[in-house]
Every structure is written in C-alpha cells, then in structure tokens.
C-alpha cells in the first residue's frame, strides 16, 4: 500500500499540475496523502518538521541565485540589451538562416544568465519577422526557441549560470565549470542535432508548399532600435557573469588560496567546497547587475526593474522549494525504500542510476530544477559515496545530473513549454512535435553518448 500510495501521489502531482493547480497547494497535500497511505505518519509533524524544514533549506541555499538571476534577466530585457543581441545575430546571419539565428540568439542570452521566459519574450518578435521573411512555417518558432533556451545552454555548457547548473554544486563540491569536456560534447550534440532536425522540417515544409501561414490574430511589431544599447554594452554584462564566475571558482575560492577553515566552525558548519560554487555565481551576477544599470542609466527605471525582477523570482523559488519539500517527505516513507532499491538496482554505476533517477523525476514534476533537486536531495549523498568507492570524479556526477534534468522535464505538462506556446500563439498539436524532438528526444540521446564517454574516464 505504501508504494501504491507514492505512485498515486506522484501521478496526481503530475496530472493536477498540468491542469493548472499550483504546486504550492498540491505538494504538501499530496505529500501528506502519501504519508497517510504509508501507515499514517504523524501528519502535522511531517508537514512542519519534514516538508517545511526541507522547503526552507532549499530556499536558503538557492534563493540568492533565483533572485539575482531574475533581476539580471529583467534588467537585460528592460534595457533593451536582450533585443540588441538577438537583432545583431539575426542581421549577421540573414533571413535565409532564420532558424539558426533564433537558436543562437536564445543560446547567447541564456548562457549569459537571462531566464528562458525573458528570452522567449525578447526573441519571439524577431523570430516572427525572420520566419515570415524566409517563409518558414510559424509552427517551428517554438521549437527553435526551445532548442536555444531549454537545452545546451541550460544543462550542458560549462559555466552556465542557469539554476540547473547550480543545484548539484553543494552535493558534489563542484563549481559551474564541472566536467567541461563532457558538457561541451553534450552541448554540441544537442545544438547540432536540434538544428539539423528543425532545418530538415523546414525544408520538408517548403517542398510540400507550406510557408509561414496566415495568422490573422498576429500582431506585427516593427523593430525599433532607436533607444537600444550598443552591441558591446549589451554583451559586456554577459561576459562579466561568465568570466568572473570562472575566475572566482577556479582561482579564488579554492583550497590553498582561500582560507576557508573558519567555515567548519560555528555558526557556519559547512565547507568551502560546498559554498564556493554558489559564492562565485552570486558575485558574478551581482557585478553584472551593477554593470547593466551603470551602462543603461538613461534607458532604465532601475528601481522598477529590480523590484519587478525580485518579485518575479519569488514564485519560481517557492514552487521549486515546495517540490523539494514533497520529495523529502516521500523519502522518509517506508514504501520509498522499495522504490529507492529499484532505482539503485538498475545499475551499480552511480552515473547510470543518477541519470535515470533525475530524468524520471524531472518528467514527473515537469520541472528540470525540481526533479533534480528531489533526486539529489534523496540520493545525492549515496551517489557521492558510490562515486568515491568506484573512483569516479564528482564532476562527472554534476554534469550527468544537469544533462539528465533537461530531458523528460519538457513533456507536454511542463510550465515553460505551455508558456512558450502561449507567447508564440501556437498549440501543442501544431508545435509540440518539434519541441519534444529538440528538448526531449535529442537531449536524452546526447545524454546516452555522454554517459558512454564518462564511463571511459572522460571529464
């Protein structure tokens, strides 16, 4: 009954979240339902001492990254920097390479730390213009944006400041540049495979006589570059995030160069390895935020943008924290011991087991960050112990976790997928086949290749 209760709970979480009920309500209710089905654990104690304790712990660890990332993204959007970058790439490549222009525009912005939602809003008008001029079906725009935003820059490329690349750091004592070779290989496979798929689909549509299509409800907004920053001013903050993060994580907050012994004493009770990655990312984002404001003083209402970005970060961190609270309640239940044994029994290799666990949980929750947080919160310590025993570099666990979270997370019930389709004015029927191919199928195939390389000792 305990296992059945957990399965029913997970199924309801996935279905009801897809139906639009907030995870803030679903997560505690369904966690307590699972507890009730597992022999009736004390419900109030489970809620306040397990669910909320882990909710608060996750928020404590990752709120600064969510907060600063949202503020940075809002400033890049409001200053016009995101539009400048997207338009420059589109102009450079030309209308005949519309798909590549959209993918690269999204990729540059998300690799620089701009949230995928901001990117979608900034790039869509430019994508619409490019696709119309090239007479490529509009239904391929969501897939192009998804490829540039949800895949290689979110999970694979070393150094990306997206939250998915920050979550594994305290579990494995790594930084954002963990396993760079594996990350670059995975990123190239996703980028190359996804671009080839979308290009093939566009050619097939053209051969069938299908063009951009007639969209009477579409609002055509002409690009106005009169009050936008220069390309140099737009790109510089992104470079600051990446370069400062690299310098701090590789040359400053490292053992032997930074005396972190005090961290092991009260009141900190942690280690430099667990916090160095987050510290580097936080300081990189802070410097970039300051730079965006300074470079765009006349274009920005900085107070308004910062406030809106900060408020916008709250729902994202609270939703993910709720999913983490849910996962930690589940792991305390008797029935989960059977499920845990089944997951670990798939393979004695922690790389393979981790890839499956993260991918499945990301699919169930419809969230890359939520699924990975649950999986690592439950099994991260055990994977680390297994890796040490088998001589596996912890950096490999970090990169496999990030790559795995970007597979099944993009199933049709994923919130980002639904939002993207809404921005583009497309339906699941019209565009999900391409979204699914570039953000689910190809990333999973890329993950398989990376796992094979990792088992050969490549980092």
């Amino acid at each position: 009954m305990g296992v059945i209760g957990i399965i029913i709970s997970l199924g309801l979480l996935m279905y009801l979240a897809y139906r639009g009920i907030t995870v803030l309500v679903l997560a505690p209710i369904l966690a307590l339902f699972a507890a009730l089905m597992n022999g009736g654990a004390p419900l109030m104690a489970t809620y306040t001492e397990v669910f909320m304790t882990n909710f608060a712990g996750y928020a404590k660890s990752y709120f600064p990254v969510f907060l600063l990332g949202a503020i940075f993204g809002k400033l890049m959007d409001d200053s016009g920097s995101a539009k400048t970058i997207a338009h420059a790439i589109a102009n450079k490549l030309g209308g005949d390479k519309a798909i590549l222009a959209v993918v690269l525009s999204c990729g540059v912005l998300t690799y620089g730390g701009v949230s995928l939602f901001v990117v979608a809003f900034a790039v869509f008008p430019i994508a619409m213009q490019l696709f119309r001029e090239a007479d490529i079906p509009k239904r391929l725009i969501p897939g192009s944006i998804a490829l540039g935003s949800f895949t290689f820059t979110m999970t694979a490329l070393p150094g990306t400041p997206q939250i998915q690349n920050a979550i594994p750091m305290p579990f494995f004592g790594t930084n954002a540049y963990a396993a760079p070779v594996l990350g670059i290989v995975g990123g190239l496979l996703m980028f190359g495979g996804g671009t080839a798929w979308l290009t093939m689909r566009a050619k097939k549509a053209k051969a069938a006589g299908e063009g951009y299509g007639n969209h009477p409800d579409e609002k055509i907004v002409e690009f106005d570059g009169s009050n936008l920053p220069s390309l140099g001013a737009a790109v510089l903050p992104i470079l600051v995030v990446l370069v400062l993060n690299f310098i701090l994580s590789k040359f400053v907050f490292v053992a032997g160069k930074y005396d972190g012994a005090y961290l092991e004493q009260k009141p900190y009770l942690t280690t430099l390895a667990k916090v160095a990655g987050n510290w580097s990312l936080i300081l990189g984002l802070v410097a970039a935020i300051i730079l965006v404001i300074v470079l765009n003083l006349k274009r920005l209402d900085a107070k308004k943008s910062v406030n809106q970005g900060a408020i916008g970060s709250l729902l994202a961190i609270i939703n993910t924290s709720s999913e983490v609270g849910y996962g930690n309640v589940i792991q305390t239940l008797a029935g989960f011991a059977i499920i845990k044994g089944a997951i670990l029994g798939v393979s004695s290799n922690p790389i393979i087991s981790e890839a499956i666990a993260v991918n499945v949980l990301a699919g169930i929750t419809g969230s890359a960050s939520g699924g990975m947080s649950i999986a690592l919160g439950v099994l991260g310590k055990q994977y680390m112990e297994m890796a040490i025993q088998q001589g596996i570099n912890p950096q490999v666990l970090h990169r496999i976790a990030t790559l795995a979270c970007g597979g099944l997370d993009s199933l049709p019930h994923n919130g980002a997928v639904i939002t993207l389709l809404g921005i583009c004015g497309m339906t699941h029927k019209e565009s999900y086949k391409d979204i699914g191919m570039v953000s689910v199928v190809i990333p999973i195939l890329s993950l398989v290749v990376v796992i094979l390389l990792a088992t050969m000792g490549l980092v």
Side-chain angles (χ1 to χ4, degrees):
M1 286 298 293
V3 174
I4 293 172
I6 291 172
I7 293 172
I8 291 173
S9 173
L10 287 169
L12 286 172
L13 180 66
M14 181 168 62
Y15 173 74
L16 295 175
Y18 177 64
R19 300 297 297 179
I21 301 177
T22 176
V23 172
L24 297 179
V25 174
L26 288 177
I29 292 174
L30 292 175
L32 296 181
F33 167 78
L36 198 61
M37 294 286 285
N38 274 260
L43 297 187
M44 288 308 299
T46 298
Y47 176 62
T48 60
E49 305 309 310
V50 181
F51 183 95
M52 287 308 304
T53 297
N54 286 282
F55 175 108
Y58 183 88
K60 168 257 180 187
S61 296
Y62 298 109
F63 178 66
V65 177
F66 275 89
L67 173 68
L68 295 171
I71 291 173
F72 179 59
K74 185 63 177 170
L75 288 168
M76 288 290 287
D77 186 23
D78 290 351
S79 67
S81 299
K83 291 184 179 68
T84 293
I85 293 170
H87 190 66
I89 292 173
N91 274 349
K92 185 71 175 177
L93 293 176
D96 59 326
K97 294 183 177 64
I99 291 173
L100 181 60
V102 172
V103 173
L104 288 178
S105 297
C106 294
V108 169
L109 290 168
T110 49
Y111 190 47
V114 182
S115 79
L116 57 92
F117 297 107
V118 170
V119 170
F121 277 109
V123 173
F124 172 64
I126 297 169
M128 196 166 53
Q129 180 182 347
L130 288 172
F131 275 56
R132 192 188 306 110
E133 291 174 358
D135 204 26
I136 297 172
K138 185 183 178 183
R139 59 183 173 82
L140 296 179
I141 292 179
S144 302
I145 293 176
L147 174 58
S149 303
F150 300 179
T151 62
F152 60 98
T153 54
M154 184 180 86
T155 65
L157 295 186
T160 177
Q162 297 295 331
I163 187 64
Q164 290 79 7
N165 196 36
I167 290 170
M169 294 192 295
F171 290 99
F172 305 128
T174 50
N175 58 53
Y177 288 87
V181 176
L182 292 178
I184 290 170
V185 170
L188 289 174
L189 288 171
M190 283 185 247
F191 171 73
T195 303
W197 168 264
L198 292 169
T199 301
M200 181 270 291
R201 292 278 286 168
K203 289 180 178 178
K204 188 174 180 180
K206 184 176 182 179
E210 180 187 359
Y212 183 78
N214 182 30
H215 306 280
D217 295 332
E218 185 174 274
K219 294 181 179 179
I220 300 173
V221 180
E222 294 299 328
F223 181 80
D224 180 11
S226 59
N227 192 37
L228 295 181
S230 67
L231 181 60
V235 171
L236 189 57
I238 287 177
L239 294 177
V240 166
V241 174
L242 297 173
V243 173
L244 189 56
N245 183 14
F246 180 81
I247 292 172
L248 291 173
S249 62
K250 293 290 187 180
F251 303 109
V252 178
F253 297 131
V254 292
K257 294 185 178 180
Y258 181 86
D259 185 8
Y262 70 94
L263 292 168
E264 299 178 23
Q265 310 298 321
K266 289 183 178 181
Y268 310 111
L269 300 178
T270 187
T271 63
L272 180 62
K274 289 183 177 180
V275 299
N278 263 344
W279 285 4
S280 301
L281 188 51
I282 288 168
L283 290 174
L285 285 168
V286 168
I289 286 169
I290 294 170
L291 185 58
V292 176
I293 293 173
V294 170
L295 292 175
N296 297 279
L297 282 173
K298 295 181 179 180
R299 298 183 189 89
L300 276 172
D301 181 344
K303 182 176 72 173
K304 181 180 177 182
S305 296
V306 169
N307 286 346
Q308 288 180 345
I311 293 169
S313 72
L314 295 177
L315 184 59
I317 182 66
I318 291 174
N319 275 340
T320 309
S321 297
S322 294
E323 291 169 342
V324 171
Y326 170 87
N328 278 276
V329 169
I330 297 298
Q331 76 155 321
T332 66
L333 305 179
F336 184 74
I338 299 171
I339 296 174
K340 180 179 178 180
I343 293 172
L344 294 174
V346 171
S347 174
S348 59
N349 188 328
I351 296 173
I352 297 172
S353 179
E354 178 189 50
I356 293 171
V358 171
N359 226 318
V360 170
L361 284 167
I364 289 171
T365 60
S367 167
S369 57
M372 177 164 50
S373 297
I374 293 172
L376 296 186
V378 173
L379 297 167
K381 184 177 180 181
Q382 192 154 355
Y383 287 142
M384 186 64 170
E385 292 172 353
M386 292 168 68
I388 292 171
Q389 292 171 3
Q390 297 179 31
I392 297 172
N393 192 323
Q395 290 189 41
V396 175
L397 292 179
H398 175 127
R399 191 55 57 203
I400 293 298
T402 61
L403 288 167
C405 82
L408 295 177
D409 69 305
S410 297
L411 291 175
H413 65 290
N414 174 272
V417 169
I418 294 169
T419 301
L420 174 59
L421 289 170
I423 292 169
C424 297
M426 294 283 106
T427 64
H428 279 79
K429 183 178 180 180
E430 292 169 318
S431 295
Y432 184 74
K433 179 179 180 179
D434 299 297
I435 293 174
M437 180 57 72
V438 302
S439 67
V440 178
V441 177
I442 291 174
I444 289 176
L445 293 176
S446 302
L447 172 63
V448 172
V449 173
V450 171
I451 289 173
L452 291 174
L453 295 174
T455 57
M456 295 166 57
L458 194 65
V459 177

